[in-house]
Amino acid sequence: MPRPERPAKRRVNVLHKEGVTTVDWKDVALLRKFISDRGKIRSRRVTGLTPQQQHQVATAIKNAREMALLPYPTKGR
């Protein structure tokens, strides 16, 4: 018997909710919401950001990593 289909749950845009217009690499608390526990950048499907916002977040995370504010991805065992 097939499962009943559920409507897709809409992801909440965190940047829009918090009123952020430009992403700053110094805002580590905000950027931590967009990286996994292993340090990888979460995808748009998971974060619910627009393509432009996702690009800003990815660039800010990379800059924060260079400044040693955020971790680089670690290898799993």
Side-chain angles (χ1 to χ4, degrees):
M1 187 166 152
R3 288 181 167 179
E5 200 162 318
R6 295 188 317 202
K9 185 176 178 184
R10 189 75 183 153
R11 299 284 178 197
V12 177
N13 188 328
V14 178
L15 296 180
H16 188 266
K17 187 175 82 173
E18 293 189 10
V20 177
T21 55
T22 57
V23 182
D24 188 20
W25 60 268
K26 293 171 275 193
D27 192 357
V28 180
L30 177 69
L31 295 178
R32 283 198 182 272
K33 297 178 183 178
F34 301 106
I35 61 171
S36 68
D37 56 342
R38 292 189 182 272
K40 293 184 176 184
I41 300 173
R42 296 187 190 275
S43 67
R44 275 192 59 227
R45 288 185 297 117
V46 177
T47 60
L49 299 177
T50 65
Q52 293 84 7
Q53 289 171 331
Q54 182 70 21
H55 183 72
Q56 282 184 347
V57 166
T59 304
I61 288 173
K62 291 173 186 177
N63 288 339
R65 284 176 177 163
E66 283 289 315
M67 297 297 167
L69 298 175
L70 290 175
Y72 282 94
T74 59
K75 291 186 178 180
R77 290 188 179 196

